Amino acid sequence: MMLVIDKPAGLPSHRGPQAKRRVIPVLTDHLDALRFGLPRRPEAAHRLDKDTSGCLILGRHPRAMAELNQMFRDGRIDKTYWAIVRGSPDADEGLIDLPLGKRAPDRGWWMKVDPDGLPSQTRYRVMGRGQDGTGPLAWLELEPLTGRTHQLRVHCAASGWPMLGDEIYGDAPREGGPGLQLHARAIAIPLYRKKPAIRIKAPPPPHMETALRSCGWEPDLAEG
């Protein structure tokens, strides 16, 4: 019915307007290799930003896509993200409840906190705290309770702790920065009514390891 892949950071999911102007790899270029005997290639059942790594669900056929899409609409698929943020949240856990809207009609996917925007909620938990050469860092586990564009990035920035490597909502340079420190760590999919949800984890990408270690993370040998 489905595949779950570990999408690399920097790989766009689709060939959007930016990708059309340049010859750059996108996820859809590689999906034919994942047919595994089926007549159709799988398709992404949801989106991850280009610079976000981690768990991405692919539906293997139209019926699977329809079922997965319904699960997402019903909020039955749980997603957990890891992020490294600049700053130090006061509380070790909490709920960010800030409505979001588009920053401007000509800004495409860029978002902002907007009292007239769509309701948006993110649950967070501090997994560790540390330092780099410019100040405090925190390693967060994030659970989006709604699915707005750039929700996690805007919510963290608006809370006073922008994501490390975020060139849109943070202070990272457009070239030569550390890369966005946001990773789709785990996903839970309730495929069978009478069985526990299927839970899948993706190991953090190499570009996040230095900051994660500074916040107390240690590699899990079972993840290889």
Side-chain angles (χ1 to χ4, degrees), residues 37-59:
L38 292 184
R40 298 171 181 262
R41 71 182 191 181
E43 299 292 344
H46 60 117
R47 300 181 73 91
L48 284 182
D49 291 345
K50 173 175 74 73
D51 294 320
T52 303
S53 59
C55 294
L56 180 66
I57 304 173
L58 306 178

Side-chain angles (χ1 to χ4, degrees), residues 46-83:
H46 60 117
R47 300 181 73 91
L48 284 182
D49 291 345
K50 173 175 74 73
D51 294 320
T52 303
S53 59
C55 294
L56 180 66
I57 304 173
L58 306 178
R60 297 197 66 190
H61 47 73
R63 180 181 173 187
M65 286 293 291
E67 292 183 19
L68 289 167
N69 289 337
Q70 190 62 51
M71 287 184 197
F72 275 110
R73 284 193 293 270
D74 294 343
R76 290 187 287 135
I77 295 179
D78 295 329
K79 295 184 285 184
T80 302
Y81 291 77
W82 280 3

